[in-house]
Amino acid sequence: MATNPKVAIAGVGEARGGRATGKTTVQLYAEAFLDLLGDCPIDPASIDGVLTSSPDAEPHHMFSTWLTEYLGLRPKFTSAVQMGGATPHSNMALAAALVESGRCGAVMVADGDNRATKFSRKDKIQAMSSQVGHLSSIEPPHEFDGPYGPTAPALYGMMATRHMYEYGSTPEQFARIAVAFRAHGAPNDGGCGARGAKKGRGHRRKPVTVEDVLASPMIAWPLHRDECALISDWGTAILVTTPEYASELRRDPVYLLGLGQAHQGYNPYQAPSITSFPISESADDAFAAAGISRDEVDVLELYDSFTSTAMVTLENMGFCGAGEGGAFVEAGYIDLGGSLPTNTHGGLLSYNGGHGHFIVEATRQLRGECGERQVAGAKIAVSQGTAALASSSITLVLGT
């Protein structure tokens, strides 16, 4: 194991998001920032780096500078990154580089969007406007597949279909993933909320069975509604700094032991396979940098946009072999109490459709703060971000 980590997480925070809140994107960011300050008593003036996402629902010119102005921060370095579901993971890699180089002493990695509010089906004008805005911004290479091609669920449905064709996996095995993550999200009464919140805002907290999942409406064969990511409002904030400074701020900082990245492109039509992805490369690099083997991982928080994403991620990360994911989840290995508790907060399928909460949950698991869903004695957690179907991959290994 890496014995001299150079980067640590000193604090985390989340907004009161979840279902449509009526809040703006910057309000969600601000709530996450205030929650971070409650978790980690840093002077805001000491935060000299701010890395954000570029919101989809409420875009803004030079968003990161607008946000830092709103929060009253004056960073030496700020940037807004767009890497889909792997955006906060990408920003964690950049934050680590800034801290290790000495360019910044304390970097906030923040992520948020108000998609549930802005893309609400109840507001037909909003929904129509967001769709027209999306289509009008499509560049020439996407002038046909954008408006007329497959939707995101259809693409991930193709991933599931191909996996079933290649390996004989079944709809029941994919549904078993949704069952596990819903079970993990059910007791999460801090769902999508600030520390100490009395009532959670996790979208789906009622436990389900495989039969329930398969009886939910079909979205894109073979994926049902309960196998698809939620559309949510969210905000997260993570403070990255040196181990020495983190130890001054908290008695139990979490350390970045290793990270890896691998990217092969954007369009699924260009991918050489839709069951084998660069996830394997980023995971290999991260585990090698951390000096650990896969059987040392106590908890896994992986991007689960659909059950098919989770299935191929488990296999590509090497926790089971190609085509063995179905049997792996059926055996209960990803359950709380299994050998690899996965998405202990519920993930995108139960907790929230945001991105940064995977890193937040991994941090809280290592700090032993997760109550009923706590993995006993957790010392190593992996947070996996994927994007562009799964063609972009960033793996983080965190430890106590």
Side-chain angles (χ1 to χ4, degrees):
M1 185 187 299
T3 56
N4 187 30
K6 299 178 180 179
V7 177
I9 295 174
V12 294
E14 285 189 89
R16 287 286 293 163
R19 292 185 172 89
T21 63
K23 300 170 186 173
T24 66
T25 297
V26 290
Q27 285 177 316
L28 292 164
Y29 271 96
E31 283 190 13
F33 175 56
L34 292 174
D35 196 43
L36 169 66
L37 296 181
D39 185 62
C40 171
I42 188 172
D43 180 351
S46 298
I47 299 175
D48 54 2
V50 177
L51 304 175
T52 76
S53 61
S54 296
D56 287 334
E58 210 168 52
H60 193 284
H61 182 236
M62 295 176 64
F63 179 78
S64 67
T65 56
W66 181 46
L67 176 66
T68 55
E69 179 184 70
Y70 185 86
L71 299 179
L73 301 175
R74 294 286 301 275
K76 296 177 181 178
F77 189 100
T78 187
S79 178
V81 169
Q82 180 52 275
M83 191 60 72
T87 298
H89 297 75
S90 180
N91 277 333
M92 285 290 294
L94 179 54
L98 289 169
V99 170
E100 287 188 44
S101 68
R103 183 68 182 83
C104 293
V107 180
M108 180 174 70
V109 172
D111 187 67
D113 216 334
N114 64 343
R115 293 181 186 176
T117 291
K118 294 295 286 186
F119 297 159
S120 171
R121 294 179 183 176
K122 296 179 181 179
D123 189 330
K124 301 301 181 183
I125 294 178
Q126 267 189 359
M128 182 178 69
S129 298
S130 66
Q131 182 70 0
V132 170
H134 168 68
L135 297 182
S136 65
S137 67
I138 293 173
E139 297 178 1
H142 303 286
E143 61 182 328
F144 297 112
D145 62 343
Y148 307 117
T151 62
L155 290 171
Y156 286 89
M158 288 172 59
M159 178 190 285
T161 303
R162 185 66 191 183
H163 196 277
M164 292 164 62
Y165 173 79
E166 288 186 11
Y167 302 119
S169 51
T170 67
E172 288 78 11
Q173 290 174 330
F174 285 101
R176 180 64 177 75
I177 295 172
V179 171
F181 295 170
R182 184 75 69 86
H184 300 169
N188 191 355
D189 58 6
C192 309
R195 291 165 58 82
K198 293 183 178 180
K199 184 177 180 181
R201 295 296 296 275
H203 279 191
R204 298 178 184 161
R205 295 178 57 198
K206 181 181 178 181
V208 292
T209 64
V210 168
E211 292 73 24
D212 293 331
V213 174
L214 297 180
S216 65
M218 183 69 72
I219 301 300
W221 194 87
L223 300 177
H224 302 76
R225 181 199 61 199
D226 290 352
E227 298 178 86
C228 302
L230 303 163
I231 298 174
S232 308
D233 289 0
W234 81 87
T236 56
I238 303 159
L239 185 68
V240 179
T241 185
T242 64
E244 295 76 17
Y245 192 29
S247 296
E248 292 178 20
L249 295 170
R250 287 192 65 98
R251 62 175 178 79
D252 55 353
V254 167
Y255 302 97
L256 178 61
L257 303 181
L259 64 87
Q261 291 196 53
H263 310 275
Q264 71 180 15
Y266 178 80
N267 286 300
Y269 322 112
Q270 302 295 326
S273 168
I274 54 173
T275 58
S276 178
F277 293 98
I279 295 170
S280 59
E281 300 167 34
S282 69
D284 285 346
D285 288 349
F287 293 139
I292 65 165
S293 61
R294 285 162 172 77
D295 59 9
E296 293 180 78
V297 176
D298 297 307
V299 60
L300 173 64
E301 311 295 347
L302 60 79
Y303 187 76
D304 58 328
S305 51
F306 298 86
T307 52
S308 51
T309 319
M311 182 79 82
V312 300
T313 300
L314 287 166
E315 294 179 357
N316 280 252
M317 292 191 80
F319 291 111
C320 56
E324 297 176 0
F328 190 81
V329 300
E330 281 188 320
Y333 294 125
I334 66 171
D335 298 352
L336 289 172
S339 61
L340 186 68
T342 302
N343 286 6
T344 50
H345 59 322
L348 300 176
L349 298 180
S350 174
Y351 179 66
N352 186 281
H355 304 148
H357 55 73
F358 294 100
I359 304 170
V360 171
E361 174 71 7
T363 300
R364 289 177 172 161
Q365 281 285 343
L366 294 175
R367 298 191 325 199
E369 300 174 345
C370 294
E372 291 182 52
R373 67 183 193 278
Q374 178 63 46
V375 176
K379 295 182 179 180
I380 295 177
V382 171
S383 184
Q384 169 64 32
T386 55
L389 198 65
S391 292
S392 284
S393 175
I394 304 172
T395 309
L396 306 176
V397 179
L398 305 176
T400 56

